[in-house]
Amino acid sequence: MTTHLWVLAVALAVTAVFDWRSVLRGDVVVERVTKPLVVLLLMGLATSLYWEGHALDSPRLLPVLVALGLSLVGDVALLHATEARFLVGLGAFLLAHVAYVIAIVETGGPDGFPWWLLAAVPALLLLHARVGRAIVRGASPDRGPVLLYELALSVLVLVAAWHGDWLVLLGAAVFAVSDAVLGHDRFVRERRWAPLTVIVTYHVAQTLVVVGLFR
């Protein structure tokens, strides 16, 4: 790991911690700066990992940057979660998942049977049965967009499981958990611990996927 990557990694970690602290304290001013900055640093990290350790089975950089760019749009939109901005954020993250799916499909993939699918499919069914259905029911009149988003996120997890890279799959799984907490908090029942849990798991998920794709 080069000095450049170490600097980016440390800057990313420090910025993320400041963002978590701002969410915990309700410091909106700091969050407006640190939340987008985390994604910008992830874009820098993805670019550096790609150029410094480019392997034949790694994906193109473009779909990953598109996914992160759309995530940035979603993050900014959700800083003020009005109805209209929520739908913008939902659409941006849905397209980000599509871009990640494209990036994962471009990787080498497993040589044999993708055994991770045997765990991913029942886990997704259980998550939908326990949490997803309640979110969709509570999302009226936005049930259609929310259900479509849940399907896109499930496709991301299944493609990551098919790909066979445990780090990418772990990132996609943590993404699903993060969005499940977010959706349940918004549409079913608010919890004090939910905002901090969502932002921490979201940052962990993005980092795992990016590192898993280019490591």
Side-chain angles (χ1 to χ4, degrees), residues 33-55:
V33 176
T34 54
K35 190 175 184 180
L37 185 56
V38 168
V39 180
L40 290 173
L41 288 169
L42 274 170
M43 295 174 77
L45 182 65
T47 303
S48 297
L49 286 171
Y50 177 83
W51 287 111
E52 294 188 20
H54 182 51

Side-chain angles (χ1 to χ4, degrees), residues 25-213:
R25 295 167 61 103
D27 193 339
V28 178
V29 175
V30 174
E31 186 184 9
R32 287 176 182 173
V33 176
T34 54
K35 190 175 184 180
L37 185 56
V38 168
V39 180
L40 290 173
L41 288 169
L42 274 170
M43 295 174 77
L45 182 65
T47 303
S48 297
L49 286 171
Y50 177 83
W51 287 111
E52 294 188 20
H54 182 51
L56 293 177
D57 60 348
S58 64
R60 290 174 299 145
L61 179 61
L62 180 60
V64 178
L65 291 183
V66 169
L68 290 170
L70 288 165
S71 298
L72 179 61
V73 173
D75 281 343
V76 172
L78 293 178
L79 282 172
H80 303 283
T82 62
E83 178 68 15
R85 292 174 70 98
F86 173 77
L87 290 176
V88 170
L90 191 72
F93 277 111
L94 188 154
L95 294 176
H97 295 329
V98 173
Y100 271 138
V101 167
I102 293 172
I104 295 170
V105 169
E106 288 183 352
T107 60
D111 295 327
F113 182 80
W115 294 101
W116 288 113
L117 280 174
L118 298 181
V121 172
L124 284 173
L125 291 175
L126 180 62
L127 182 65
H128 178 70
R130 295 294 297 273
V131 182
R133 287 192 302 174
I135 293 173
V136 172
R137 286 198 301 265
S140 180
D142 299 326
R143 291 180 179 180
V146 170
L147 178 59
L148 185 62
Y149 179 83
E150 287 188 1
L151 291 175
L153 186 55
S154 296
V155 170
L156 174 63
V157 175
L158 291 174
V159 170
W162 166 80
H163 165 73
D165 188 300
W166 68 271
L167 202 59
V168 175
L169 174 57
L170 181 60
V174 175
F175 227 133
V177 171
S178 180
D179 283 341
V181 175
L182 174 62
H184 199 274
D185 182 66
R186 180 178 177 88
F187 295 116
V188 182
R189 178 185 174 188
E190 291 186 4
R191 292 177 170 85
R192 292 180 59 186
W193 50 264
L196 181 61
T197 301
V198 168
I199 195 64
V200 172
T201 51
Y202 166 66
H203 287 156
V204 170
Q206 290 276 27
T207 303
L208 288 172
V209 172
V210 168
V211 173
L213 287 172

Side-chain angles (χ1 to χ4, degrees), residues 6-22 30 33-35 37-38 41 203 207:
W6 272 113
V7 171
L8 274 173
V10 170
L12 174 63
V14 171
T15 306
V17 169
F18 271 100
D19 189 41
W20 303 345
R21 182 174 180 268
S22 69
V30 174
V33 176
T34 54
K35 190 175 184 180
L37 185 56
V38 168
L41 288 169
H203 287 156
T207 303

